[in-house]
Amino acid sequence: MISIHSVTSDEYPDQTNNPINSHENQPDKPEEACGVFGIYAPGENVAKLTYFGLYALQHRGQESAGIATFEGTQVHLHKDMGLVSQVFNESILDQLPGSLAVGHTRYSTTGSSRKVNAQPAVLETRLGSLALAHNGNLVNTVQLRQELLEKKCNLITTTDSEMIAFAIAEAINAGADWLEGSIQAFHRCQGAFSLVIGTPNGVMGVRDTNGIRPLVIGTLAGNPVRYVLASETCGLDIIGAEYLRDVEPGELVWITESGLASYHWSQKPQRKLCIFEMIYFARPDSVMHNESLYSYRMRLGHQLAKESFVDADIVFGVPDSGIPAAIGFSQASGVAYAEGLIKNRYVGRTFIQPTQTMRESGIRMKLNPLKDVLAGKRVIIVDDSIVRGTTSRKLVKTLREAGAVEVHMRISSPPVTHPCFYGIDTDSQDQLIAATKSVAEIAKQLEVDSLAYLSWEGMLEATREDTNSFCSACFTGDYPVAIPEQVKRSKLSLEKVVV
């Protein structure tokens, strides 16, 4: 039985046609897909713990949020458009009782930004309800959707996440148990998927065979120990859970009253974590490879200074993601670190279109220059990436208007030349500035005095891990999971770029 507390109408229109979301007004960054969270903790307020877990993962998606709790065989579900703090309040959370929960915060990749596509996706099966939260993107959605439609599955959304849920339900309804049915479904899925799945019996955490998107396991102190799943360790920290380990590529962990059990559903896992998770997406206080990502991003800045030093008066980062690399650049180069830009941290998504004058003034709704810091200075501005170049050009103009006499831009990653098919919302290849222009041409378009990117080798070496264990397809075009031609043609429009 499913108890649904959210309204059924789409309160927000499809944002793809909203003028505020045109290419000119979108952030000049790749956008992440989602954050997922799961918890098995009988006796605890699992809805409230999930709320705070999602709150910590808000950076991974700001379009919709949802929580499903299991109270025996009954599922309680609430999901809606908006930020986590907008979708939930104390009263709503009080209506989500249970011993386990699954949560999700979403940025749309497959499937537009509409309430019907909000997660968790909840379905009924022979063994009871399942609630699925997904981070990533399948590349065989066309084939899988056709197979499910031929089996008369009643698909009600346009997301690949729902297709995974239906594939599991189909196997279970054919006689499989929760584990067997889930594993059968995963073998039908190609691409990137980190999943948290709630059932009446327990919670599953799953990663695809390459582990492209992250998923970690934490523990809550008590007797017995309770377990938590989250996209990043910051989702554990906020509720006082201790990081235990990552869910491994090709692994399924099954958390029940008996504790945690592990199943390796893929026979040939090959780790290919998205390198952009480390450069930009994940929060700097999240831990990967036994250190905070803040430390890795500082090393990127060290390497950037070694590769592309330029004499200047001050160096600063684009808030917030460029700051650790800018500090690293300062430490390695001796150029003084300062704050040149102040970010308005209370600006969220707005559905109100700015006036023409505001649009022409650039990006000051989110970033404002410190004129007395910049006036008369030769400045180095460090950012983590450039995708389209639109925001970067406005930013350079803003710095010059604030009095900077030289503007040198340094990027703590290589040029983004290829689109992502694994859960990052990037344009088609011809919209990526580095796919169509040389570094010198980009520098001219941005109107900077100099521009330099970090080398591909430097980016990977700074991880201090096996450099073959990362997906860097957005820089090289070498995709670890084969992309079907029909999907490839939708985004890949140019020659392969060699790094």
Side-chain angles (χ1 to χ4, degrees), residues 161-180:
S161 310
E162 185 195 35
M163 296 179 206
I164 302 173
F166 265 105
I168 296 171
E170 184 181 52
I172 288 171
N173 292 338
D177 63 21
W178 285 115
L179 288 174
E180 293 167 347

Tab-separated table of all heavy atoms in Angstrom, residues 161-180:
chain	number	residue	atom	x	y	z
A	161	SER	N	15.315	6.227	-14.846
A	161	SER	CA	15.222	5.685	-13.487
A	161	SER	C	13.983	4.811	-13.337
A	161	SER	O	14.042	3.726	-12.747
A	161	SER	CB	15.181	6.832	-12.476
A	161	SER	OG	16.225	7.758	-12.722
A	162	GLU	N	12.861	5.271	-13.866
A	162	GLU	CA	11.631	4.486	-13.784
A	162	GLU	C	11.786	3.173	-14.547
A	162	GLU	O	11.239	2.138	-14.140
A	162	GLU	CB	10.456	5.284	-14.335
A	162	GLU	CG	9.119	4.568	-14.162
A	162	GLU	CD	8.003	5.161	-14.998
A	162	GLU	OE1	8.284	5.622	-16.126
A	162	GLU	OE2	6.848	5.140	-14.544
A	163	MET	N	12.546	3.211	-15.639
A	163	MET	CA	12.749	1.992	-16.423
A	163	MET	C	13.505	0.945	-15.608
A	163	MET	O	13.215	-0.253	-15.713
A	163	MET	CB	13.512	2.311	-17.706
A	163	MET	CG	12.766	3.223	-18.662
A	163	MET	SD	13.750	3.569	-20.135
A	163	MET	CE	13.065	5.152	-20.622
A	164	ILE	N	14.489	1.388	-14.810
A	164	ILE	CA	15.215	0.448	-13.962
A	164	ILE	C	14.247	-0.184	-12.968
A	164	ILE	O	14.256	-1.400	-12.735
A	164	ILE	CB	16.362	1.152	-13.220
A	164	ILE	CG1	17.341	1.797	-14.205
A	164	ILE	CG2	17.105	0.150	-12.326
A	164	ILE	CD1	18.416	2.658	-13.531
A	165	ALA	N	13.389	0.647	-12.377
A	165	ALA	CA	12.411	0.141	-11.403
A	165	ALA	C	11.469	-0.867	-12.060
A	165	ALA	O	11.170	-1.927	-11.483
A	165	ALA	CB	11.619	1.308	-10.811
A	166	PHE	N	11.015	-0.584	-13.269
A	166	PHE	CA	10.122	-1.506	-13.961
A	166	PHE	C	10.835	-2.802	-14.337
A	166	PHE	O	10.240	-3.886	-14.309
A	166	PHE	CB	9.536	-0.847	-15.219
A	166	PHE	CG	8.200	-0.214	-14.997
A	166	PHE	CD1	8.060	1.154	-14.903
A	166	PHE	CD2	7.050	-0.991	-14.868
A	166	PHE	CE1	6.829	1.753	-14.690
A	166	PHE	CE2	5.799	-0.414	-14.667
A	166	PHE	CZ	5.690	0.966	-14.567
A	167	ALA	N	12.124	-2.698	-14.698
A	167	ALA	CA	12.881	-3.915	-15.026
A	167	ALA	C	13.009	-4.812	-13.793
A	167	ALA	O	12.907	-6.043	-13.899
A	167	ALA	CB	14.261	-3.535	-15.562
A	168	ILE	N	13.207	-4.207	-12.625
A	168	ILE	CA	13.250	-4.994	-11.388
A	168	ILE	C	11.890	-5.627	-11.116
A	168	ILE	O	11.782	-6.823	-10.808
A	168	ILE	CB	13.670	-4.102	-10.205
A	168	ILE	CG1	15.098	-3.587	-10.397
A	168	ILE	CG2	13.563	-4.869	-8.882
A	168	ILE	CD1	15.517	-2.531	-9.389
A	169	ALA	N	10.832	-4.816	-11.219
A	169	ALA	CA	9.476	-5.309	-10.956
A	169	ALA	C	9.108	-6.447	-11.896
A	169	ALA	O	8.477	-7.435	-11.484
A	169	ALA	CB	8.474	-4.167	-11.085
A	170	GLU	N	9.518	-6.325	-13.150
A	170	GLU	CA	9.200	-7.365	-14.136
A	170	GLU	C	9.827	-8.701	-13.727
A	170	GLU	O	9.177	-9.756	-13.789
A	170	GLU	CB	9.714	-6.932	-15.514
A	170	GLU	CG	9.352	-7.887	-16.633
A	170	GLU	CD	9.905	-7.422	-17.967
A	170	GLU	OE1	11.124	-7.148	-18.052
A	170	GLU	OE2	9.125	-7.346	-18.914
A	171	ALA	N	11.098	-8.651	-13.291
A	171	ALA	CA	11.775	-9.886	-12.888
A	171	ALA	C	11.143	-10.477	-11.630
A	171	ALA	O	10.978	-11.698	-11.513
A	171	ALA	CB	13.263	-9.601	-12.658
A	172	ILE	N	10.776	-9.628	-10.685
A	172	ILE	CA	10.160	-10.104	-9.446
A	172	ILE	C	8.789	-10.708	-9.726
A	172	ILE	O	8.443	-11.788	-9.202
A	172	ILE	CB	10.059	-8.946	-8.428
A	172	ILE	CG1	11.457	-8.624	-7.900
A	172	ILE	CG2	9.119	-9.300	-7.274
A	172	ILE	CD1	11.531	-7.376	-7.070
A	173	ASN	N	8.025	-10.062	-10.568
A	173	ASN	CA	6.692	-10.576	-10.888
A	173	ASN	C	6.747	-11.880	-11.671
A	173	ASN	O	5.767	-12.624	-11.730
A	173	ASN	CB	5.890	-9.524	-11.654
A	173	ASN	CG	5.539	-8.322	-10.798
A	173	ASN	OD1	5.514	-8.417	-9.569
A	173	ASN	ND2	5.286	-7.183	-11.426
A	174	ALA	N	7.926	-12.157	-12.255
A	174	ALA	CA	8.109	-13.425	-12.974
A	174	ALA	C	8.583	-14.537	-12.043
A	174	ALA	O	8.804	-15.664	-12.485
A	174	ALA	CB	9.098	-13.236	-14.118
A	175	GLY	N	8.774	-14.206	-10.745
A	175	GLY	CA	9.116	-15.249	-9.784
A	175	GLY	C	10.403	-15.060	-9.016
A	175	GLY	O	10.695	-15.825	-8.093
A	176	ALA	N	11.210	-14.067	-9.375
A	176	ALA	CA	12.488	-13.865	-8.683
A	176	ALA	C	12.261	-13.209	-7.325
A	176	ALA	O	11.237	-12.566	-7.086
A	176	ALA	CB	13.402	-12.982	-9.537
A	177	ASP	N	13.255	-13.357	-6.411
A	177	ASP	CA	13.183	-12.630	-5.152
A	177	ASP	C	13.819	-11.255	-5.347
A	177	ASP	O	14.257	-10.900	-6.445
A	177	ASP	CB	13.830	-13.422	-4.014
A	177	ASP	CG	15.324	-13.659	-4.213
A	177	ASP	OD1	15.975	-12.908	-4.990
A	177	ASP	OD2	15.878	-14.579	-3.584
A	178	TRP	N	13.920	-10.469	-4.255
A	178	TRP	CA	14.408	-9.107	-4.388
A	178	TRP	C	15.818	-9.057	-4.969
A	178	TRP	O	16.089	-8.266	-5.887
A	178	TRP	CB	14.400	-8.401	-3.036
A	178	TRP	CG	13.043	-7.987	-2.546
A	178	TRP	CD1	12.378	-8.446	-1.450
A	178	TRP	CD2	12.172	-7.011	-3.143
A	178	TRP	NE1	11.157	-7.836	-1.325
A	178	TRP	CE2	11.003	-6.941	-2.346
A	178	TRP	CE3	12.270	-6.195	-4.272
A	178	TRP	CZ2	9.943	-6.093	-2.641
A	178	TRP	CZ3	11.216	-5.341	-4.572
A	178	TRP	CH2	10.077	-5.284	-3.771
A	179	LEU	N	16.697	-9.900	-4.465
A	179	LEU	CA	18.074	-9.883	-4.944
A	179	LEU	C	18.184	-10.381	-6.374
A	179	LEU	O	18.801	-9.747	-7.233
A	179	LEU	CB	18.964	-10.710	-4.022
A	179	LEU	CG	19.268	-10.107	-2.646
A	179	LEU	CD1	20.035	-11.100	-1.793
A	179	LEU	CD2	20.040	-8.819	-2.792
A	180	GLU	N	17.594	-11.525	-6.646
A	180	GLU	CA	17.670	-12.093	-7.993
A	180	GLU	C	17.050	-11.150	-9.017
A	180	GLU	O	17.611	-10.913	-10.096
A	180	GLU	CB	16.938	-13.438	-8.028
A	180	GLU	CG	17.600	-14.536	-7.204
A	180	GLU	CD	16.680	-15.736	-7.028
A	180	GLU	OE1	15.475	-15.600	-7.326
A	180	GLU	OE2	17.166	-16.796	-6.600
